[in-house]
Amino acid sequence: MKPLIATAVFAILMMFAALTVKEKKSFTHFAAILMLGLVGLNVWELADYNRLLASAQASPDLFGKMLRVDNYALWFNVLMSSCSFFYILLVGRSIEKVGVHVGEYYALHFFILCGVFLLSTYNNLLILFLGIEILSIPQYILSGSDKRNLKSSEASLKYFLMGAFSTGILLMGIVLLYGAMGTFDIHGFNFYATGTLNIMGVVGVLFMLVALGFKVSAAPMHFWTPDVYDGSPTPFTAFMATIVKVSVFFAFMRLFMEGFANLDPYWKVTVLGTITVLTLLIGNITAVYQQSVKRMLAYSSIAQAGFMMFVVIGSNAMAMKGMIIYAVAYTLATVGIFGVLLKLKDYTYDGFNGLAKKHPFLALIASICLMSLAGIPLTAGFFAKWFVIAAALEQPGTFWLVIFALVMAAVSLYYYFKVIMAMYFKTGEPELITPVTTMDKVVMAIIGSAVIVFGIAPDMLLAWI
Amino acid sequence: MSLILLLVIPLITGLASFAFRKAQAVKAWALFGSLLTLVVAALSLCGIKEQTHTISYTWLPTLGASFALQGSVTALLMTLLTAIVFPLTLLAQWNKDIEQPHRFYGLMLLAQAGLMGVFLAHDLLLFYFFWELALIPVYFLAGQWGDKDRIKSSFKFFVYTFLGSLLMLGGLIYLYLQTPNGNFDYDTILATGAALPMAVQNTLFVLFFIAFGIKMPIFPLHSWQAGAYEQTLTPVTIVLSALMVKMGLFGVIKWLYPVFPSGTEQFGNIIMILALIGIIYGSMLAIVQKDIKRLIAYSSLAHVGLMIMGIFADTHNASVGVVAQMFNHGITITGLWLVVDMIERRYGTRNMNELGGLAGAAPQMTIALVVITFSSIALPLTNGFVGEFLLFLGIFESTNPNHIIYMAIAGLGIILGAIYMLNMVQKVAYGNKKEMAIADMSMNERLSIYLILAVIIILGVYPNLLLQLL
């Protein structure tokens, strides 16, 4: 449990660093080093766990069965902390510009990662609740951190009020489940213990479904997403839309796969299927009408959430693979496109006009990332879609749901390629607000090539499963 | 080995093209690369008599996908067509100045690599990969260079074909999940597809067919075609019409027809009727066009319709005819586009009503236009005749209860074809003379066009050269 403790320690270190460090730039360097350390700790943990497990010295259950570690969760932690590392390298400059409390911003990121690690290893609904809260509260602060911007404050307030409600609902669901099952342990649920369906338990499931659906912005619990993502300072939007969202999905999938395994498939196929259809429809159709690329990406994150719902519907071995690949593909591509967006002055589509002529490298990276989001072969996004669709299709009765999702993926081409068309086929004078440094280029090149490498050999991501 | 070279040469030369800065250098490089591919393609077709080459490497062990290529006769003929069309196009277009030439030629060669992959792939996932990869460079080519409505028309083309591909993807994953131990191997796919219950086969058949049908295109999925052909630069139009069309037909021959036998039985007749509608409808539209490019686009709809009918006629002669006609149509239409482009560059218009008197001003070009037109309307002694004759024979022999009616209606297509093509020649070559001195074909254009004419006439007089392979 070294990384989990480290996140909290690093966060506190970052906060105290604010007392001594004056230079804004130093915070970014410090945070990047700490994040690299976190990646190292995660890798160590993964290697160590396997060694101990081989010699039968380790048990997967920790803290009295509160947490349960396995290769799968530890590998997910490695990937998420690595993505966070690249995120800091790419948007660190922009974080410095958000406001004066740079140290605190980074500290909050580490706190969020603490929540992420709890969500990936929880074995108990209380830890799930703790993880969700640790993950959410720093986000409320981050989204309002641009204090002089009215939209940022609005985003923060909106997110906080609605998030508080959803937390209440989540707690209600946990309580109902506890009442019905007599345990918080997710492996201890049996919905048919008395021979008939446990109604109170199912109501608890529904409550939890609503709350988790809110956190991953699944329709019809998605209304906060566009305003919050649009209003928040752009670098933080990139973090909230990627690492935070996929981590909650990870928890969501584990809950349905391990906790609610013996629930009738009806709940997965019909109830979750309905939510998926709504999410895909609303996300994609509304994204088409956006004028600002940032807002479009907010809706696109809803649309992508629709695809990620497939891992929850599937809840099988294929879904576990799909979860990892989708998480990485979606995170890398979204961070990459936000990295480009942060360089531009104008966030509308017209702001991208003629980018390929003036800054061919930025345009290339943005195109690779957008194609990955659209799921075109040779990018990681293709295999991400491939695995989640295969996961869903293994669940009987989902064929037409998948066909619907694929039609919606064709709709998504419209808004993703609108950016590519602006960059390559139109002419204009795009203005940059910050120059593209060598560091930016290196990180973008890493992200771009990672997207392509994982698009040819997704097996690399499944090495530890 | 030669199969890998067919993929790798265009890929490497294409990627290297992006590094060039001088227009002449990149043109020479692209021509060199495509000639190299042509040599390899020709050699591998010559070597086929001994055995069919299949190679297979592990690609994604967890999924059961492998990097498997197979050079069957049909596949190698299509790669040869691809390999012939590129150097001829580049040669004929040598004097044309294109903005950002390094990007243009790089994307062209990447498109060639994708096309080669589609024809050679022997693994379903690999096939799907290349199917999409061929599309991406062509989309960028169509969107970045061309007439003023290009962005709209190329996007329409892209969305159409991508939607089809996605539907195929759904079917593909479903099919994959039915294979015994998760495998994309061609033989496994064949066995699995045929063993599926009829209702499932029919659904999957439709999903796959939409993808292929959009690419061909078949009526009523054709509405992207005319705009995309019209708005793009000639080399891109050639890739679209001579080669990408064949992707759809090839997909049906290799990945649809044998995989879902029950679906084929169920929908074969409907598809033949759709193809018939395409023949008549395409011809009618071609008759009323003023723009030569649009005219050829619609005529392509008619020609492809006949080939689709040949596939679903399910007789030996028809299947030989389809492959022969796929090859010949590719050669003919390439020649046609090249000549039209020469005319357009000299007169500055493609509108037939504004053209005239080409025969007096440029006799060589006129001869080329006339011969290629003859091939297009399938006159005997041209290569177009061979394929269409076999197709008609095959449709006539078909066990379909309506085969004679089908053949008769399809035969109307030839008559209509003669009407619009000869009308076009008459207006362009003769008609009211234009007071404008134009240069006849230049050296490079002559070389390219004469080679095409040679293929047209040699295969027309001695078709056995082609047919003995099939």
Side-chain angles (χ1 to χ4, degrees), chain A residues 356 371 376-378 382-383 386 389-390 393-394 399 406 410 413-414 417 420-421 425 455-456 458-459, chain B residues 59-63 103 128-129 132 139-140 143-144 151 155 158 162-163 166 170 173 176-177 184 207:
Chain A
M371 285 193 203
I376 285 171
L378 209 68
F382 169 71
F383 276 111
W386 200 99
I389 287 172
L393 279 178
E394 280 192 356
F399 188 72
L406 289 168
L413 278 187
Y414 178 80
F417 272 73
I420 294 182
M421 281 192 265
F425 305 160
I456 297 172
D459 279 28
Chain B
W59 173 30
L60 297 171
T62 45
L63 282 181
R103 273 195 199 162
Y128 185 82
F129 240 66
E132 292 292 314
Y139 167 64
F140 277 93
Q144 205 164 354
I151 298 181
F155 191 63
F158 184 59
F162 200 77
L163 176 65
L166 283 171
I173 298 176
Y176 163 76
L177 291 174
F184 287 104
L207 291 176

Short mmCIF file of all heavy atoms in Angstrom, two decimals, chain A residues 356 371 376-378 382-383 386 389-390 393-394 399 406 410 413-414 417 420-421 425 455-456 458-459, chain B residues 59-63 103 128-129 132 139-140 143-144 151 155 158 162-163 166 170 173 176-177 184 207:
data_model
loop_
_atom_site.label_atom_id
_atom_site.label_comp_id
_atom_site.label_asym_id
_atom_site.label_seq_id
_atom_site.Cartn_x
_atom_site.Cartn_y
_atom_site.Cartn_z
N ALA A 356 -2.64 23.40 -39.59
CA ALA A 356 -1.70 22.45 -40.21
C ALA A 356 -0.59 23.18 -40.96
O ALA A 356 0.53 22.69 -41.05
CB ALA A 356 -2.44 21.51 -41.14
N MET A 371 -8.57 11.16 -34.08
CA MET A 371 -8.89 9.90 -34.77
C MET A 371 -9.00 8.77 -33.77
O MET A 371 -9.80 7.86 -33.94
CB MET A 371 -7.81 9.58 -35.80
CG MET A 371 -7.91 10.44 -37.03
SD MET A 371 -6.87 9.71 -38.28
CE MET A 371 -6.56 11.09 -39.30
N ILE A 376 -10.64 5.13 -35.09
CA ILE A 376 -10.16 4.70 -36.40
C ILE A 376 -9.00 3.73 -36.22
O ILE A 376 -8.16 3.95 -35.35
CB ILE A 376 -9.78 5.95 -37.21
CG1 ILE A 376 -11.07 6.61 -37.65
CG2 ILE A 376 -8.93 5.60 -38.41
CD1 ILE A 376 -10.91 7.92 -38.27
N PRO A 377 -8.95 2.66 -37.00
CA PRO A 377 -7.87 1.69 -36.84
C PRO A 377 -6.49 2.33 -36.93
O PRO A 377 -6.33 3.40 -37.52
CB PRO A 377 -8.08 0.73 -38.00
CG PRO A 377 -9.51 0.80 -38.28
CD PRO A 377 -9.92 2.19 -38.00
N LEU A 378 -5.55 1.63 -36.34
CA LEU A 378 -4.18 2.09 -36.20
C LEU A 378 -4.02 3.09 -35.05
O LEU A 378 -2.93 3.54 -34.78
CB LEU A 378 -3.63 2.70 -37.50
CG LEU A 378 -2.13 2.56 -37.70
CD1 LEU A 378 -1.76 1.11 -37.93
CD2 LEU A 378 -1.64 3.37 -38.89
N PHE A 382 -9.33 2.50 -31.59
CA PHE A 382 -10.00 1.43 -32.31
C PHE A 382 -10.11 0.19 -31.44
O PHE A 382 -11.18 -0.39 -31.28
CB PHE A 382 -9.26 1.10 -33.61
CG PHE A 382 -9.76 -0.16 -34.26
CD1 PHE A 382 -11.00 -0.17 -34.86
CD2 PHE A 382 -9.01 -1.31 -34.24
CE1 PHE A 382 -11.48 -1.33 -35.44
CE2 PHE A 382 -9.48 -2.47 -34.81
CZ PHE A 382 -10.73 -2.48 -35.42
N PHE A 383 -8.99 -0.22 -30.84
CA PHE A 383 -9.04 -1.43 -30.03
C PHE A 383 -9.84 -1.21 -28.76
O PHE A 383 -10.43 -2.13 -28.23
CB PHE A 383 -7.64 -1.94 -29.74
CG PHE A 383 -7.11 -2.77 -30.86
CD1 PHE A 383 -6.07 -2.34 -31.64
CD2 PHE A 383 -7.70 -3.98 -31.17
CE1 PHE A 383 -5.61 -3.10 -32.70
CE2 PHE A 383 -7.25 -4.76 -32.22
CZ PHE A 383 -6.20 -4.31 -32.99
N TRP A 386 -13.16 -1.81 -29.86
CA TRP A 386 -13.24 -3.23 -30.19
C TRP A 386 -13.51 -4.06 -28.94
O TRP A 386 -14.42 -4.87 -28.90
CB TRP A 386 -11.92 -3.66 -30.84
CG TRP A 386 -12.05 -4.90 -31.63
CD1 TRP A 386 -12.19 -4.99 -32.96
CD2 TRP A 386 -12.07 -6.24 -31.12
NE1 TRP A 386 -12.31 -6.30 -33.33
CE2 TRP A 386 -12.24 -7.08 -32.23
CE3 TRP A 386 -11.99 -6.80 -29.86
CZ2 TRP A 386 -12.31 -8.46 -32.11
CZ3 TRP A 386 -12.06 -8.17 -29.74
CH2 TRP A 386 -12.22 -9.00 -30.86
N ILE A 389 -16.93 -3.41 -27.19
CA ILE A 389 -18.04 -3.97 -27.96
C ILE A 389 -18.05 -5.48 -27.82
O ILE A 389 -19.11 -6.09 -27.61
CB ILE A 389 -17.92 -3.55 -29.44
CG1 ILE A 389 -18.29 -2.08 -29.57
CG2 ILE A 389 -18.85 -4.38 -30.31
CD1 ILE A 389 -18.02 -1.53 -30.93
N ALA A 390 -16.88 -6.09 -27.88
CA ALA A 390 -16.82 -7.55 -27.72
C ALA A 390 -17.32 -7.93 -26.33
O ALA A 390 -18.04 -8.92 -26.18
CB ALA A 390 -15.39 -8.03 -27.92
N LEU A 393 -21.06 -7.73 -26.41
CA LEU A 393 -21.69 -8.76 -27.24
C LEU A 393 -21.65 -10.13 -26.58
O LEU A 393 -22.46 -11.00 -26.90
CB LEU A 393 -21.01 -8.84 -28.61
CG LEU A 393 -21.44 -7.79 -29.64
CD1 LEU A 393 -20.66 -7.96 -30.91
CD2 LEU A 393 -22.92 -7.91 -29.93
N GLU A 394 -20.72 -10.32 -25.65
CA GLU A 394 -20.70 -11.60 -24.96
C GLU A 394 -21.90 -11.75 -24.04
O GLU A 394 -22.25 -12.85 -23.63
CB GLU A 394 -19.40 -11.76 -24.17
CG GLU A 394 -18.26 -12.18 -25.07
CD GLU A 394 -17.03 -12.63 -24.29
OE1 GLU A 394 -17.03 -12.52 -23.06
OE2 GLU A 394 -16.08 -13.07 -24.95
N PHE A 399 -27.11 -7.19 -29.10
CA PHE A 399 -26.67 -6.98 -30.48
C PHE A 399 -27.11 -5.62 -31.04
O PHE A 399 -26.31 -4.84 -31.55
CB PHE A 399 -27.18 -8.11 -31.36
CG PHE A 399 -26.63 -8.08 -32.75
CD1 PHE A 399 -25.31 -8.41 -32.99
CD2 PHE A 399 -27.41 -7.68 -33.82
CE1 PHE A 399 -24.79 -8.38 -34.26
CE2 PHE A 399 -26.89 -7.63 -35.09
CZ PHE A 399 -25.58 -7.99 -35.32
N LEU A 406 -22.65 1.86 -32.69
CA LEU A 406 -21.76 2.05 -33.84
C LEU A 406 -22.29 3.16 -34.76
O LEU A 406 -21.51 3.94 -35.32
CB LEU A 406 -21.61 0.74 -34.61
CG LEU A 406 -20.77 -0.31 -33.86
CD1 LEU A 406 -20.89 -1.66 -34.51
CD2 LEU A 406 -19.33 0.13 -33.82
N ALA A 410 -20.49 6.78 -35.77
CA ALA A 410 -20.40 7.46 -37.07
C ALA A 410 -20.80 8.93 -36.92
O ALA A 410 -20.23 9.80 -37.56
CB ALA A 410 -21.28 6.76 -38.10
N LEU A 413 -18.01 11.11 -35.78
CA LEU A 413 -17.05 11.55 -36.79
C LEU A 413 -17.25 13.01 -37.12
O LEU A 413 -16.30 13.74 -37.37
CB LEU A 413 -17.28 10.78 -38.09
CG LEU A 413 -16.69 9.41 -38.25
CD1 LEU A 413 -16.93 8.97 -39.65
CD2 LEU A 413 -15.22 9.45 -37.96
N TYR A 414 -18.52 13.42 -37.15
CA TYR A 414 -18.81 14.78 -37.59
C TYR A 414 -18.06 15.81 -36.76
O TYR A 414 -17.35 16.66 -37.28
CB TYR A 414 -20.31 15.04 -37.54
CG TYR A 414 -20.67 16.44 -37.93
CD1 TYR A 414 -20.73 16.80 -39.27
CD2 TYR A 414 -20.90 17.42 -36.98
CE1 TYR A 414 -21.03 18.09 -39.64
CE2 TYR A 414 -21.19 18.71 -37.34
CZ TYR A 414 -21.25 19.04 -38.67
OH TYR A 414 -21.52 20.32 -39.03
N PHE A 417 -14.05 15.25 -36.77
CA PHE A 417 -13.40 15.60 -38.03
C PHE A 417 -13.63 17.05 -38.42
O PHE A 417 -12.92 17.57 -39.28
CB PHE A 417 -13.83 14.64 -39.14
CG PHE A 417 -12.96 13.43 -39.19
CD1 PHE A 417 -13.06 12.47 -38.22
CD2 PHE A 417 -11.99 13.28 -40.17
CE1 PHE A 417 -12.23 11.37 -38.22
CE2 PHE A 417 -11.16 12.19 -40.19
CZ PHE A 417 -11.28 11.23 -39.21
N ILE A 420 -10.46 18.45 -37.57
CA ILE A 420 -9.41 18.07 -38.52
C ILE A 420 -9.59 18.83 -39.83
O ILE A 420 -8.62 19.32 -40.42
CB ILE A 420 -9.44 16.54 -38.74
CG1 ILE A 420 -9.05 15.83 -37.45
CG2 ILE A 420 -8.52 16.15 -39.88
CD1 ILE A 420 -9.01 14.33 -37.55
N MET A 421 -10.84 18.97 -40.25
CA MET A 421 -11.10 19.72 -41.49
C MET A 421 -10.64 21.15 -41.34
O MET A 421 -10.04 21.72 -42.25
CB MET A 421 -12.59 19.69 -41.82
CG MET A 421 -13.03 18.39 -42.44
SD MET A 421 -14.69 18.56 -43.10
CE MET A 421 -15.64 17.93 -41.77
N PHE A 425 -7.96 21.59 -44.05
CA PHE A 425 -8.57 21.97 -45.32
C PHE A 425 -8.91 23.45 -45.38
O PHE A 425 -9.23 23.97 -46.43
CB PHE A 425 -9.84 21.15 -45.59
CG PHE A 425 -9.62 19.66 -45.54
CD1 PHE A 425 -10.69 18.81 -45.34
CD2 PHE A 425 -8.37 19.12 -45.71
CE1 PHE A 425 -10.49 17.43 -45.29
CE2 PHE A 425 -8.16 17.75 -45.66
CZ PHE A 425 -9.23 16.91 -45.45
N GLY A 455 -2.34 1.20 -30.82
CA GLY A 455 -3.30 0.88 -31.87
C GLY A 455 -2.85 -0.28 -32.73
O GLY A 455 -3.65 -0.89 -33.42
N ILE A 456 -1.55 -0.58 -32.70
CA ILE A 456 -1.06 -1.74 -33.46
C ILE A 456 -0.94 -2.95 -32.53
O ILE A 456 -1.28 -4.05 -32.91
CB ILE A 456 0.31 -1.42 -34.10
CG1 ILE A 456 0.14 -0.28 -35.10
CG2 ILE A 456 0.87 -2.64 -34.80
CD1 ILE A 456 1.43 0.25 -35.64
N PRO A 458 -2.19 -3.63 -28.96
CA PRO A 458 -2.85 -3.38 -27.67
C PRO A 458 -2.46 -4.43 -26.62
O PRO A 458 -2.67 -4.22 -25.45
CB PRO A 458 -4.33 -3.46 -28.00
CG PRO A 458 -4.41 -4.29 -29.22
CD PRO A 458 -3.16 -4.03 -29.99
N ASP A 459 -1.90 -5.53 -27.10
CA ASP A 459 -1.47 -6.58 -26.17
C ASP A 459 -0.54 -6.06 -25.09
O ASP A 459 -0.51 -6.58 -23.98
CB ASP A 459 -0.74 -7.69 -26.94
CG ASP A 459 -1.72 -8.63 -27.59
OD1 ASP A 459 -2.84 -8.16 -27.88
OD2 ASP A 459 -1.37 -9.79 -27.81
N TRP B 59 0.35 -11.81 -34.58
CA TRP B 59 0.21 -10.36 -34.42
C TRP B 59 -0.33 -10.07 -33.01
O TRP B 59 0.36 -9.45 -32.20
CB TRP B 59 -0.69 -9.81 -35.52
CG TRP B 59 -1.05 -8.37 -35.40
CD1 TRP B 59 -0.30 -7.38 -34.82
CD2 TRP B 59 -2.24 -7.75 -35.85
NE1 TRP B 59 -0.96 -6.19 -34.91
CE2 TRP B 59 -2.14 -6.38 -35.52
CE3 TRP B 59 -3.38 -8.20 -36.50
CZ2 TRP B 59 -3.16 -5.48 -35.82
CZ3 TRP B 59 -4.38 -7.31 -36.81
CH2 TRP B 59 -4.26 -5.96 -36.47
N LEU B 60 -1.54 -10.48 -32.73
CA LEU B 60 -2.12 -10.24 -31.42
C LEU B 60 -2.54 -11.58 -30.82
O LEU B 60 -3.65 -12.04 -31.04
CB LEU B 60 -3.36 -9.33 -31.53
CG LEU B 60 -3.12 -7.94 -32.07
CD1 LEU B 60 -4.43 -7.25 -32.33
CD2 LEU B 60 -2.30 -7.15 -31.08
N PRO B 61 -1.64 -12.20 -30.07
CA PRO B 61 -1.98 -13.53 -29.56
C PRO B 61 -3.21 -13.55 -28.66
O PRO B 61 -3.99 -14.50 -28.71
CB PRO B 61 -0.72 -13.94 -28.78
CG PRO B 61 0.12 -12.73 -28.67
CD PRO B 61 -0.29 -11.79 -29.73
N THR B 62 -3.43 -12.50 -27.87
CA THR B 62 -4.59 -12.54 -26.97
C THR B 62 -5.90 -12.52 -27.75
O THR B 62 -6.92 -13.01 -27.27
CB THR B 62 -4.61 -11.34 -26.00
OG1 THR B 62 -4.32 -10.17 -26.76
CG2 THR B 62 -3.60 -11.51 -24.91
N LEU B 63 -5.89 -11.94 -28.93
CA LEU B 63 -7.12 -11.88 -29.71
C LEU B 63 -7.21 -13.01 -30.72
O LEU B 63 -8.27 -13.27 -31.27
CB LEU B 63 -7.19 -10.56 -30.48
CG LEU B 63 -7.58 -9.34 -29.72
CD1 LEU B 63 -7.62 -8.16 -30.63
CD2 LEU B 63 -8.92 -9.55 -29.09
N ARG B 103 3.26 16.19 -49.45
CA ARG B 103 2.12 15.58 -48.76
C ARG B 103 1.25 14.79 -49.72
O ARG B 103 0.80 13.70 -49.42
CB ARG B 103 1.26 16.67 -48.12
CG ARG B 103 1.74 17.03 -46.76
CD ARG B 103 0.67 17.82 -46.06
NE ARG B 103 1.26 18.53 -44.95
CZ ARG B 103 0.69 19.56 -44.35
NH1 ARG B 103 -0.46 20.01 -44.78
NH2 ARG B 103 1.27 20.15 -43.35
N TYR B 128 -9.94 -5.78 -41.98
CA TYR B 128 -10.67 -4.60 -41.54
C TYR B 128 -9.71 -3.42 -41.32
O TYR B 128 -10.02 -2.28 -41.66
CB TYR B 128 -11.43 -4.89 -40.24
CG TYR B 128 -12.29 -3.74 -39.82
CD1 TYR B 128 -13.54 -3.55 -40.39
CD2 TYR B 128 -11.84 -2.81 -38.90
CE1 TYR B 128 -14.31 -2.47 -40.04
CE2 TYR B 128 -12.61 -1.72 -38.55
CZ TYR B 128 -13.85 -1.57 -39.12
OH TYR B 128 -14.62 -0.49 -38.79
N PHE B 129 -8.55 -3.72 -40.76
CA PHE B 129 -7.53 -2.69 -40.55
C PHE B 129 -7.19 -1.98 -41.86
O PHE B 129 -7.24 -0.77 -41.96
CB PHE B 129 -6.27 -3.36 -40.01
CG PHE B 129 -5.87 -2.85 -38.67
CD1 PHE B 129 -6.68 -3.08 -37.58
CD2 PHE B 129 -4.70 -2.15 -38.50
CE1 PHE B 129 -6.32 -2.61 -36.34
CE2 PHE B 129 -4.34 -1.68 -37.26
CZ PHE B 129 -5.14 -1.91 -36.18
N GLU B 132 -9.88 0.19 -43.50
CA GLU B 132 -9.97 1.55 -43.00
C GLU B 132 -8.74 2.37 -43.39
O GLU B 132 -8.84 3.55 -43.69
CB GLU B 132 -10.08 1.55 -41.47
CG GLU B 132 -11.36 0.98 -40.96
CD GLU B 132 -12.52 1.86 -41.30
OE1 GLU B 132 -12.40 3.07 -41.11
OE2 GLU B 132 -13.53 1.34 -41.77
N TYR B 139 -9.23 10.13 -47.87
CA TYR B 139 -10.06 11.22 -47.37
C TYR B 139 -9.26 12.53 -47.32
O TYR B 139 -9.74 13.58 -47.73
CB TYR B 139 -10.60 10.88 -45.99
CG TYR B 139 -11.20 12.07 -45.28
CD1 TYR B 139 -12.32 12.71 -45.81
CD2 TYR B 139 -10.63 12.59 -44.14
CE1 TYR B 139 -12.85 13.82 -45.20
CE2 TYR B 139 -11.17 13.70 -43.52
CZ TYR B 139 -12.27 14.31 -44.06
OH TYR B 139 -12.79 15.43 -43.48
N PHE B 140 -8.03 12.44 -46.83
CA PHE B 140 -7.21 13.65 -46.76
C PHE B 140 -6.89 14.17 -48.16
O PHE B 140 -6.87 15.37 -48.40
CB PHE B 140 -5.93 13.40 -45.96
CG PHE B 140 -6.13 13.50 -44.49
CD1 PHE B 140 -6.44 12.40 -43.73
CD2 PHE B 140 -6.06 14.73 -43.86
CE1 PHE B 140 -6.65 12.50 -42.36
CE2 PHE B 140 -6.27 14.85 -42.50
CZ PHE B 140 -6.57 13.72 -41.75
N GLY B 143 -10.02 15.82 -49.46
CA GLY B 143 -10.43 17.03 -48.77
C GLY B 143 -9.48 18.19 -48.98
O GLY B 143 -9.88 19.36 -48.94
N GLN B 144 -8.22 17.88 -49.21
CA GLN B 144 -7.24 18.97 -49.24
C GLN B 144 -7.02 19.52 -50.65
O GLN B 144 -6.73 20.69 -50.81
CB GLN B 144 -5.92 18.45 -48.67
CG GLN B 144 -5.07 19.55 -48.10
CD GLN B 144 -3.99 18.99 -47.20
OE1 GLN B 144 -3.94 17.81 -46.92
NE2 GLN B 144 -3.09 19.84 -46.77
N ILE B 151 -14.54 19.95 -49.61
CA ILE B 151 -14.60 19.60 -48.19
C ILE B 151 -15.90 18.88 -47.89
O ILE B 151 -15.94 17.85 -47.23
CB ILE B 151 -14.45 20.87 -47.33
CG1 ILE B 151 -13.09 21.51 -47.60
CG2 ILE B 151 -14.61 20.55 -45.87
CD1 ILE B 151 -12.81 22.73 -46.81
N PHE B 155 -16.21 14.81 -47.22
CA PHE B 155 -16.70 14.39 -45.91
C PHE B 155 -17.90 13.47 -46.04
O PHE B 155 -18.06 12.50 -45.30
CB PHE B 155 -17.04 15.60 -45.05
CG PHE B 155 -17.29 15.24 -43.62
CD1 PHE B 155 -16.28 14.69 -42.86
CD2 PHE B 155 -18.53 15.42 -43.05
CE1 PHE B 155 -16.50 14.33 -41.54
CE2 PHE B 155 -18.76 15.07 -41.73
CZ PHE B 155 -17.75 14.52 -40.98
N PHE B 158 -16.60 10.21 -46.80
CA PHE B 158 -15.95 9.62 -45.63
C PHE B 158 -16.99 9.07 -44.65
O PHE B 158 -16.87 7.94 -44.17
CB PHE B 158 -15.08 10.68 -44.97
CG PHE B 158 -14.29 10.20 -43.81
CD1 PHE B 158 -13.39 9.16 -43.96
CD2 PHE B 158 -14.44 10.76 -42.56
CE1 PHE B 158 -12.66 8.70 -42.88
CE2 PHE B 158 -13.71 10.30 -41.49
CZ PHE B 158 -12.82 9.28 -41.64
N PHE B 162 -17.45 5.25 -43.73
CA PHE B 162 -17.10 4.90 -42.36
C PHE B 162 -18.29 4.29 -41.63
O PHE B 162 -18.14 3.36 -40.84
CB PHE B 162 -16.57 6.12 -41.61
CG PHE B 162 -15.77 5.76 -40.40
CD1 PHE B 162 -14.47 5.31 -40.54
CD2 PHE B 162 -16.30 5.83 -39.13
CE1 PHE B 162 -13.73 4.95 -39.44
CE2 PHE B 162 -15.56 5.48 -38.03
CZ PHE B 162 -14.27 5.03 -38.17
N LEU B 163 -19.47 4.81 -41.91
CA LEU B 163 -20.66 4.22 -41.30
C LEU B 163 -20.77 2.76 -41.72
O LEU B 163 -21.03 1.87 -40.89
CB LEU B 163 -21.91 5.00 -41.72
CG LEU B 163 -23.23 4.41 -41.21
CD1 LEU B 163 -23.30 4.46 -39.71
CD2 LEU B 163 -24.41 5.13 -41.79
N LEU B 166 -18.30 0.70 -39.85
CA LEU B 166 -18.64 0.47 -38.45
C LEU B 166 -19.68 -0.63 -38.33
O LEU B 166 -19.61 -1.46 -37.43
CB LEU B 166 -19.14 1.76 -37.82
CG LEU B 166 -18.07 2.77 -37.45
CD1 LEU B 166 -18.69 4.08 -37.04
CD2 LEU B 166 -17.20 2.26 -36.33
N GLY B 170 -19.38 -4.22 -36.25
CA GLY B 170 -20.30 -4.90 -35.34
C GLY B 170 -20.48 -6.35 -35.72
O GLY B 170 -20.37 -7.25 -34.88
N ILE B 173 -17.24 -8.40 -35.05
CA ILE B 173 -16.96 -8.80 -33.66
C ILE B 173 -17.91 -9.93 -33.26
O ILE B 173 -17.52 -10.89 -32.60
CB ILE B 173 -17.09 -7.60 -32.71
CG1 ILE B 173 -16.05 -6.55 -33.08
CG2 ILE B 173 -16.90 -8.02 -31.28
CD1 ILE B 173 -16.13 -5.30 -32.28
N TYR B 176 -16.62 -13.03 -34.72
CA TYR B 176 -15.41 -13.44 -33.98
C TYR B 176 -15.77 -14.18 -32.71
O TYR B 176 -15.17 -15.19 -32.37
CB TYR B 176 -14.56 -12.20 -33.69
CG TYR B 176 -13.52 -12.39 -32.63
CD1 TYR B 176 -12.35 -13.08 -32.91
CD2 TYR B 176 -13.70 -11.88 -31.36
CE1 TYR B 176 -11.39 -13.25 -31.93
CE2 TYR B 176 -12.75 -12.05 -30.37
CZ TYR B 176 -11.60 -12.74 -30.66
OH TYR B 176 -10.65 -12.91 -29.70
N LEU B 177 -16.79 -13.64 -32.00
CA LEU B 177 -17.15 -14.26 -30.73
C LEU B 177 -17.75 -15.65 -30.93
O LEU B 177 -17.81 -16.44 -29.99
CB LEU B 177 -18.13 -13.36 -29.96
CG LEU B 177 -17.52 -12.05 -29.45
CD1 LEU B 177 -18.59 -11.18 -28.83
CD2 LEU B 177 -16.42 -12.32 -28.43
N PHE B 184 -9.36 -15.14 -35.95
CA PHE B 184 -9.75 -14.38 -37.14
C PHE B 184 -9.29 -15.05 -38.42
O PHE B 184 -9.42 -14.49 -39.49
CB PHE B 184 -9.15 -12.98 -37.10
CG PHE B 184 -9.78 -12.07 -36.11
CD1 PHE B 184 -9.16 -11.78 -34.92
CD2 PHE B 184 -11.00 -11.50 -36.38
CE1 PHE B 184 -9.74 -10.92 -34.02
CE2 PHE B 184 -11.59 -10.64 -35.48
CZ PHE B 184 -10.96 -10.36 -34.29
N LEU B 207 -25.12 -6.55 -42.65
CA LEU B 207 -24.15 -5.61 -42.08
C LEU B 207 -22.89 -5.53 -42.94
O LEU B 207 -22.38 -4.45 -43.22
CB LEU B 207 -23.79 -6.02 -40.65
CG LEU B 207 -24.89 -5.88 -39.62
CD1 LEU B 207 -24.43 -6.42 -38.29
CD2 LEU B 207 -25.29 -4.43 -39.47
#
